[in-house]
Amino acid sequence: MNSLPWRRPLGRLALVPLLALALLVPAVPVALPAPAAAAPAAAGGLRTALPAALPTAVPVAVTTAPRPQVGALFPGGVAGSHSCTGTVVASPTGDLVITAAHCLSGSPRGWSFVPGYDAGRAPYGVWRVAYGYVDPRWRTGHDPHYDVAVLRIEPLVVSGRARTIQSVVGAYTAAEQRPVGTSTRLTAYNAGRGDRPITCANSVASERGWPLVTCGGSTTG
């Protein structure tokens, strides 16, 4: 994988690439510490643009409770808007987050990752991105089969000692791609601010060789 920068293309309404949670299974649970002090709630709210008409068979994402291992990425600090979703993935170093490469522009070094982000609150603290890595095939040609980025997260001082993000919130373990037709549930964030996570359940489909989930209300993030 190469380090950044990236360019960000336009997102696609109602089609959610099956990159993060759908390719992960829970790791061994870890004990969570008491939540850190909540960050001030951001002003404003998220407005999700739904298409004019969705097929009746297409489920629509609903607001849901946050997951500690899933969070929002903030390019310019938590007082502003976030871009896409990141998921803590189990690793020996305990400091990796997976996201979509198209969610980032330029280098993500210094971006903020907020696990369990919920209506402007940061219950597990605000974590700083140290580095980002993408596959060369995404960097040179934006091949959607390689639209994946891995972020390395700096340690955070929790209760007086430096902790990795995985040791604080837990992680998901990478698994094999789920077959077409398998039921799956995705929890993520649309781009915005002051919002809550959304969840959508549907079956895995395929488009031009890569898996996806079709879901109304999942846009720009």
Side-chain angles (χ1 to χ4, degrees):
M1 289 186 134
N2 285 356
S3 58
L4 307 181
W6 291 298
R7 289 181 299 168
R8 179 179 177 181
L10 294 176
R12 298 167 55 212
L13 181 63
L15 296 180
V16 183
L18 201 58
L19 294 174
L21 284 180
L23 297 183
L24 306 172
V25 295
V28 176
V30 299
L32 295 178
L46 176 66
R47 295 181 179 178
T48 301
L50 291 175
L54 279 173
T56 56
V58 175
V60 176
V62 296
T63 301
T64 189
R67 297 185 183 186
Q69 304 89 350
V70 181
L73 286 163
F74 289 81
V78 294
S81 297
H82 61 79
S83 60
C84 290
T85 304
T87 302
V88 183
V89 61
S91 67
T93 55
D95 60 355
L96 299 183
V97 165
I98 190 170
T99 188
H102 74 259
C103 291
L104 303 115
S105 58
S107 171
R109 186 169 188 173
W111 285 31
S112 297
F113 176 67
V114 183
Y117 179 76
D118 189 19
R121 296 182 292 273
Y124 302 98
V126 177
W127 300 71
R128 180 182 168 90
V129 177
Y131 299 101
Y133 307 91
V134 296
D135 189 286
R137 287 160 289 194
W138 171 261
R139 186 176 183 185
T140 58
H142 285 169
D143 186 334
H145 292 83
Y146 304 97
D147 185 8
V148 179
V150 176
L151 308 178
R152 187 174 296 279
I153 307 298
E154 293 181 0
L156 185 69
V157 176
V158 179
S159 301
R161 67 187 183 95
R163 299 279 299 274
T164 65
I165 192 166
Q166 182 175 322
S167 70
V168 173
V169 302
Y172 285 85
T173 302
E176 292 183 1
Q177 178 177 306
R178 294 182 178 180
V180 171
T182 304
S183 297
T184 191
R185 181 179 295 270
L186 297 174
T187 297
Y189 298 84
N190 285 327
R193 63 194 306 180
D195 56 312
R196 305 196 72 206
I198 57 174
T199 294
C200 185
N202 201 355
S203 297
V204 178
S206 179
E207 182 178 284
R208 288 179 288 173
W210 69 88
L212 58 85
V213 169
T214 303
C215 184
S218 297
T219 63
T220 64

